[in-house]
């Protein structure tokens, strides 16, 4: 079986990381899997994939992912594959149009990673959106909430949907070794917070940055990731006088080690799909604090700490309690690792292989 993964790019993000981590496992399962990206850029994930030398990589250009020319780039290679497994918008649209243009017999599978997109809430766009969803042979939802939202939105029968939870390489996070603090320009007595997430709409770095202002001077913050909202966060950091306490580390391929180096892992967000970053944070053995929002609540509740969305004071108070109460801190760590152990990437891969087999049967 030949499967082509299609995605906008390999920039920092949960969907992108999932492809990188799972691709060798699919190959081990006998799936011949390659990848096509709309945007060719030397992101760390792309470097990592190229270093694996495990698949063909099709790169369609360095321009905007929204340019319709990508339809023809996809169409050129689509017929060579039994299945095209598509992630994110606008790749979601271009793959459908490429199949129609090329008349390929390739089956289409789409994974819905988010609980929210602007097309769902816009009536004219919703009509167009439903058309594209209907062209897919199977749609995968990565959480119960996503499945409920998009079953309603698409008006498709339940048998078109499959629920498959995301997974991570648990051992990589359980066994990671921390950096020496001086490697990151930190002092040994600093209390270190970390958030790993792209600077994209939907994330809420600003609440975490403002919460840092409410905490003692020896509390430092590492922000890992890149994106269009990074400059706004850098400006906010400057405005609040936090330049000496916040480090913007950009895209990194050493996230397990960075998580182990921190004392507390935070994910401040407006909404998520099924957050890989939350599972990674809990797997690191550090206490995990997250916004009480769709895509995080179900994963974190009963293990890590949830704070109300946009609530700077509540976030700061949650961090302070972890700083002052070591027994509470230890209990949260234990519960977080127990919860993370439920999300093994091999289980996810096995479910996708079964789905592929059913789709082409």
């Amino acid at each position: 079986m030949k499967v082509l993964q299609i995605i906008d790019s390999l920039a920092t993000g949960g969907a992108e990381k999932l492809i990188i981590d799972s691709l060798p496992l699919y190959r081990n399962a006998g799936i011949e899997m390659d990848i096509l990206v709309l945007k060719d850029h030397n992101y760390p994930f792309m470097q990592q994939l190229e270093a694996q030398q495990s698949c063909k990589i099709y790169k369609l250009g360095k321009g905007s992912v929204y340019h319709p020319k990508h339809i023809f780039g996809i169409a050129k290679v689509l017929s060579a594959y039994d299945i095209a497994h598509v992630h994110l918008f606008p790749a979601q649209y271009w793959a459908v149009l490429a199949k129609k243009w090329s008349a390929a017999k390739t089956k289409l599978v789409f994974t819905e990673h988010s609980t929210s997109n602007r097309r769902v809430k816009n009536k004219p766009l919703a009509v167009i959106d439903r058309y594209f969803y209907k062209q897919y042979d199977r749609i995968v939802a990565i959480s119960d909430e996503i499945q409920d939202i998009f079953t309603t939105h698409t008006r498709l029968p339940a048998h078109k949907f499959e629920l498959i939870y995301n997974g991570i390489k648990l051992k990589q996070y359980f066994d990671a070794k921390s950096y020496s603090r001086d490697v990151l320009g930190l002092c040994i007595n600093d209390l270190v917070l970390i958030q790993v997430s792209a600077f994209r709409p939907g994330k809420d770095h600003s609440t975490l940055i403002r919460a840092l202002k409410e905490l003692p001077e020896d509390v430092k913050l590492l922000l890992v990731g890149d994106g269009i909202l990074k400059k706004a966060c850098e400006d906010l950091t400057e405005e609040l006088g936090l330049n000496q306490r916040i480090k913007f580390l950009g895209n990194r391929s050493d996230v397990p080690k960075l998580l182990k180096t921190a004392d507390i892992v935070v994910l401040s967000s407006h909404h998520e799909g099924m957050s890989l970053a939350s599972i990674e944070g809990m797997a690191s053995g550090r206490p995990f604090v997250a916004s009480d929002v769709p895509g995080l609540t179900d994963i974190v509740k009963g293990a890590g700490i949830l704070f109300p969305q946009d609530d700077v004071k509540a976030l700061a108070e949650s961090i302070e309690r972890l700083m002052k109460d070591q027994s509470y801190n230890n209990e949260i760590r234990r519960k977080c690792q127990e919860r993370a152990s439920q999300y093994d990437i091999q289980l996810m891969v096995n479910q996708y292989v079964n789905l592929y087999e059913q789709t082409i049967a």
Side-chain angles (χ1 to χ4, degrees):
M1 186 192 308
K2 296 183 68 177
V3 177
L4 179 66
Q5 298 271 2
I6 301 176
I7 193 166
D8 297 348
S9 72
L10 287 181
T12 300
E16 294 87 345
K17 187 176 191 311
L18 202 64
I19 290 175
I20 298 302
D21 286 347
S22 63
L23 199 144
L25 300 179
Y26 285 116
R27 292 240 162 201
N28 290 342
I31 304 291
E32 187 176 340
M33 184 171 284
D34 298 320
I35 185 168
L36 181 149
V37 294
L38 306 185
K39 184 173 183 178
D40 176 15
H41 188 84
N42 196 32
Y43 295 113
F45 283 164
M46 179 60 77
Q47 296 172 18
Q48 188 177 337
L49 180 63
E50 290 176 332
Q52 289 178 7
Q53 297 184 332
S54 60
C55 69
K56 292 180 183 176
I57 305 171
Y58 302 96
K59 304 174 183 180
L60 299 192
K62 298 184 181 295
S64 171
V65 297
Y66 296 97
H67 199 294
K69 68 180 181 181
H70 296 307
I71 297 167
F72 308 107
I74 296 170
K76 287 180 181 179
V77 300
L78 197 61
S79 61
Y81 294 87
D82 301 301
I83 291 175
H85 185 171
V86 188
H87 307 262
L88 307 181
F89 176 87
Q92 174 189 7
Y93 281 19
W94 299 151
V96 168
L97 296 174
K99 179 176 177 177
K100 290 189 174 296
W101 176 266
S102 64
K105 302 300 182 183
T106 310
K107 300 289 186 179
L108 297 181
V109 173
F110 178 67
T111 294
E112 181 55 70
H113 292 274
S114 179
T115 55
S116 176
N117 73 53
R118 66 187 182 91
R119 302 178 304 283
V120 172
K121 300 172 183 177
N122 182 305
K123 287 186 178 180
L125 290 178
V127 174
I128 299 170
D129 210 40
R130 289 189 192 104
Y131 168 80
F132 281 95
Y133 277 100
K134 287 175 182 176
Q135 308 313 307
Y136 282 87
D137 296 279
R138 299 298 293 274
I139 299 168
V140 176
I142 62 172
S143 74
D144 300 89
E145 186 171 20
I146 288 174
Q147 182 161 329
D148 290 343
I149 291 170
F150 284 92
T151 301
T152 301
H153 170 59
T154 62
R155 302 174 183 173
L156 292 171
H159 69 79
K160 291 269 282 193
F161 286 84
E162 187 82 11
L163 178 63
I164 300 178
Y165 296 125
N166 286 345
I168 67 167
K169 297 163 76 173
L170 288 169
K171 186 174 174 57
Q172 185 178 17
Y173 293 87
F174 285 167
D175 298 345
K177 304 299 181 184
S178 66
Y179 282 112
S180 171
R181 290 289 177 92
D182 62 305
V183 170
L184 297 172
L186 300 166
C187 298
I188 193 168
N189 293 323
D190 287 338
L191 188 290
V192 182
L193 312 176
I194 188 170
Q195 173 155 325
V196 181
S197 65
F199 290 82
R200 297 174 179 168
K203 309 301 181 183
D204 184 22
H205 294 82
S206 64
T207 292
L208 176 54
I209 292 170
R210 294 181 189 280
L212 189 68
K213 187 72 174 178
E214 307 297 315
L215 294 166
E217 289 288 324
D218 61 350
V219 180
K220 306 295 174 61
L221 172 61
L222 305 178
L223 293 175
V224 181
D226 210 340
I228 60 173
L229 298 180
K230 183 178 178 182
K231 178 61 165 58
C233 290
E234 290 173 334
D235 291 344
L236 178 61
T237 297
E238 177 85 29
E239 177 188 327
L240 296 177
L242 295 172
N243 300 68
Q244 301 305 309
R245 297 175 60 193
I246 298 179
K247 296 182 181 295
F248 291 83
L249 301 184
N251 291 325
R252 300 284 293 239
S253 58
D254 55 350
V255 169
K257 295 188 71 171
L258 291 171
L259 291 171
K260 284 287 191 183
T261 305
D263 297 291
I264 298 170
V265 182
V266 182
L267 183 52
S268 180
S269 186
H270 297 301
H271 61 80
E272 296 282 339
M274 179 191 164
S275 170
L276 285 178
S278 66
I279 301 168
E280 293 165 357
M282 290 191 289
S284 71
R286 300 294 181 257
F288 185 73
V289 184
S291 307
D292 191 358
V293 297
L296 283 173
T297 301
D298 289 346
I299 298 173
V300 179
K301 189 174 182 179
I305 300 168
L306 293 165
F307 68 93
Q309 182 181 352
D310 301 324
D311 195 328
V312 172
K313 183 178 179 182
L315 174 54
E317 289 174 349
S318 296
I319 293 168
E320 283 186 319
R321 184 178 178 190
L322 288 168
M323 293 168 58
K324 295 175 180 178
D325 188 339
Q326 191 58 50
S327 62
Y328 174 68
N329 187 305
N330 292 339
E331 178 69 6
I332 296 299
R333 289 171 183 247
R334 182 186 63 78
K335 288 181 177 179
C336 285
Q337 278 207 314
E338 286 179 356
R339 178 64 56 81
S341 66
Q342 300 173 18
Y343 297 94
D344 191 320
I345 195 170
Q346 186 62 62
L347 175 61
M348 182 205 77
V349 167
N350 293 345
Q351 291 175 305
Y352 270 113
V353 170
N354 289 337
L355 178 68
Y356 295 154
E357 291 172 346
Q358 293 169 15
T359 302
I360 65 172

